[in-house]
Amino acid sequence: MKLISKFLQTKGKNELLTGSIITFFLRIAGMGAGYIFSLQITRNYGADAWGMFSLTFTVFSFGAILSTFGLDGAILRLVPELVVKKQLIFLSPIYRKLALLGSIISLATMMAIYLLSKQIAITLFDNKSLIDWIKYSALLVLPITLCNINSQLLRGLKKIKEYVFLDMVARFLFPAILVFVFQQLGMEINLIFTYFLGMLLVTFLSFFLLIYEFRKLDIRPTRDETYWNNYLKLTNLAYPLLFSSTLIFLKGWIDTIMLGHYRTEAEVGIYNIFLKVTIIATIPITSLNSIGMPKFGELFAKNDLVGLQKTLRFSASIIFLSTFTLALGLLLFHSILLGFFGKDFSGDKTAFYILLITQVVSAFGGSSGYILQMTGHQNSYKNAVIGTLVITILSNYYFIPLYGIVGAAISTLLTTIFYNFFLVQSIRKHLKVDSTFFSFIQSQFKR
């Protein structure tokens, strides 16, 4: 209790903890919505259908990342700087430029996915039945792109509840509600088109929330020029973030993609559900980073490295201890949780155990990746992701044909270890701070 009281005496830590508690419960709600959506599919249509949806999800999600072009990360990076420099008046014209760029790139990406749907389905996944799924998925690129930009702008403005609801809750809650309504009406359900309708509602909501916040801030268009108020400067800031986002997406989804190529849709579906359940343990990481990213950027903009180290130490302690506790709970009750998804998920749990260990290992590194992105070291982050991606591809190529979903889980654990090592070393090199749980342990021994 004394430790907690001491933490709360610091305004930055109090803000970080308060915001994290709110996002913690919203994140739980978001994961609950995701589980309801996946339960609707697995229990009514089986693991095969969820596997098909998961593979298609990788396609339109990757298309949305390309279309967003790192613009969501750029706006998140810019807002704390504009706040510190008292230049929020320039936010409106900057946002309009980013939204326009995202929309233009989205239309081109949508056309490419539609025209290449056959090649993607056969060449990448060796599955002709995915062609129509991928064609429908092209519709999702534009709403997801705009929603990404809008939600990150709200995040930068520290409207964390709004950001978390859009980014983590509504994206599966709205489609889940639509699936339920369509089922009650006895309508035939196209999963991808239903998800598109749900995302359309989420995007409209994001615009409504953004307009509301802009009016509260009294932000009006201006003809004045600033350093960031032109397309070239914005794209130069966004491009490295796009590259990093693309690489991190591939790092996170290459196991699913390669499983889709080498194994059956049912195995893809089972592996994806294992991931969804073990990700419960990462709620503290996503909750803390939702409020922490703007805070990291703000402290760096003020050149307050001492404050940054203290915040990172506090963040790392909460992330690891709470993640470890949740992982232990999942280990004890995993049979009950997996049982909800149907009989397809009651077999060998080895992959599940390995993925659970992976989440704990990831938590030990704290907020490493986010720190590099918010402190102007995108290139170091990019290099770390490139190195990890190479390891991910090679390890999946070796392990998946031999061991299936267990091989994919082993690869995920190995790449997580390397990924955290690369990031932590980059942070120590560039910022001279420690973002891991070690920093908290060391601080306790020094007392």
Side-chain angles (χ1 to χ4, degrees), residues 26-27 30 143-144 146-155 159-175 195 198-210 213:
L26 283 173
R27 177 63 173 159
I144 292 178
L146 293 175
C147 190
N148 286 344
I149 294 172
N150 292 350
S151 62
Q152 293 298 333
L153 176 50
L154 289 167
R155 186 183 188 180
K159 303 301 175 182
I160 304 301
K161 296 188 296 294
E162 292 82 352
Y163 156 71
V164 174
F165 182 78
L166 290 172
D167 201 62
M168 301 178 186
V169 181
R171 294 189 186 213
F172 282 105
L173 176 62
F174 288 11
Y195 191 79
M199 275 306 307
L200 209 57
L201 294 175
V202 178
T203 305
F204 285 139
L205 178 60
S206 73
F207 276 108
F208 173 80
L209 292 173
L210 205 59
E213 293 301 331

Side-chain angles (χ1 to χ4, degrees), residues 366-437:
S367 307
S368 304
Y370 296 99
I371 298 163
L372 289 173
Q373 293 180 77
M374 295 306 296
T375 55
H377 296 95
Q378 298 95 327
N379 287 332
S380 294
Y381 177 69
K382 176 189 68 178
N383 293 336
V385 176
I386 290 174
T388 308
L389 179 59
V390 172
I391 297 171
T392 302
I393 294 172
L394 293 176
S395 58
N396 274 292
Y397 180 77
Y398 177 77
F399 286 116
I400 288 177
L402 290 176
Y403 307 114
I405 62 174
V406 174
I410 292 172
S411 173
T412 301
L413 175 59
L414 291 175
T415 54
T416 298
I417 293 171
F418 281 107
Y419 177 65
N420 276 283
F421 177 79
F422 291 152
L423 293 179
V424 168
Q425 292 304 312
S426 293
I427 290 171
R428 287 174 176 168
K429 176 183 177 181
H430 295 294
L431 300 175
K432 311 300 181 186
V433 297
D434 188 350
S435 61
T436 70
F437 185 61

Side-chain angles (χ1 to χ4, degrees), residues 84-300:
V84 170
K85 295 180 178 178
K86 303 186 185 303
Q87 294 179 337
L88 275 178
I89 191 66
F90 301 113
L91 186 56
S92 182
I94 290 174
Y95 166 74
R96 290 199 305 273
K97 287 180 171 61
L98 294 176
L100 179 60
L101 279 172
S103 298
I104 293 172
I105 301 171
S106 292
L107 293 174
T109 304
M110 290 167 65
M111 184 64 69
I113 290 176
Y114 183 84
L115 294 176
L116 297 174
S117 57
K118 183 176 181 179
Q119 288 84 344
I120 294 172
I122 296 175
T123 304
L124 190 60
F125 300 117
D126 194 23
N127 191 335
K128 291 182 179 180
S129 57
L130 275 173
I131 295 174
D132 288 338
W133 288 64
I134 294 172
K135 282 183 178 179
Y136 276 111
S137 75
L139 294 169
L140 281 151
V141 174
L142 179 59
I144 292 178
T145 298
L146 293 175
C147 190
N148 286 344
I149 294 172
N150 292 350
S151 62
Q152 293 298 333
L153 176 50
L154 289 167
R155 186 183 188 180
L157 291 170
K158 296 186 179 180
K159 303 301 175 182
I160 304 301
K161 296 188 296 294
E162 292 82 352
Y163 156 71
V164 174
F165 182 78
L166 290 172
D167 201 62
M168 301 178 186
V169 181
R171 294 189 186 213
F172 282 105
L173 176 62
F174 288 11
I177 292 173
L178 289 177
V179 169
F180 176 78
V181 171
F182 292 160
Q183 285 177 333
Q184 296 305 306
L185 294 174
M187 298 172 61
E188 185 176 347
I189 297 174
N190 180 308
L191 293 177
I192 296 299
F193 189 68
T194 302
Y195 191 79
F196 163 71
L197 293 177
M199 275 306 307
L200 209 57
L201 294 175
V202 178
T203 305
F204 285 139
L205 178 60
S206 73
F207 276 108
F208 173 80
L209 292 173
L210 205 59
I211 291 170
Y212 176 73
E213 293 301 331
F214 270 30
R215 287 177 176 174
K216 282 174 57 178
L217 290 170
D218 194 28
I219 298 174
R220 298 185 179 89
T222 175
R223 294 182 179 180
D224 295 337
E225 293 293 327
T226 69
Y227 180 74
W228 296 112
N229 198 14
N230 65 76
Y231 286 106
L232 182 60
K233 297 292 184 182
L234 290 171
T235 53
N236 285 341
L237 175 65
Y239 174 72
L241 298 172
L242 161 69
F243 195 60
S244 296
S245 297
T246 302
L247 292 172
I248 200 67
F249 173 85
L250 291 174
K251 186 186 80 67
W253 282 92
I254 198 70
D255 48 0
T256 299
I257 294 171
M258 294 184 76
L259 271 173
H261 184 82
Y262 287 111
R263 314 294 284 203
T264 65
E265 292 87 354
E267 287 183 89
V268 175
I270 292 169
Y271 181 76
N272 190 264
I273 291 298
F274 282 176
L275 276 174
K276 287 179 73 68
V277 174
T278 58
I279 282 174
I280 292 174
T282 69
I283 293 176
I285 301 176
T286 53
S287 301
L288 213 72
N289 287 331
S290 296
I291 184 68
M293 280 187 74
K295 189 67 181 177
F296 300 150
E298 182 181 328
L299 290 169
F300 182 74

Side-chain angles (χ1 to χ4, degrees), residues 39-70:
L39 276 168
Q40 289 172 323
I41 298 174
T42 57
R43 301 193 77 166
N44 289 295
Y45 308 104
D48 287 19
W50 183 251
M52 295 279 281
F53 180 83
S54 299
L55 293 174
T56 311
F57 190 91
T58 64
V59 176
F60 67 72
S61 296
F62 184 65
I65 287 176
L66 293 179
S67 300
T68 305
F69 199 73

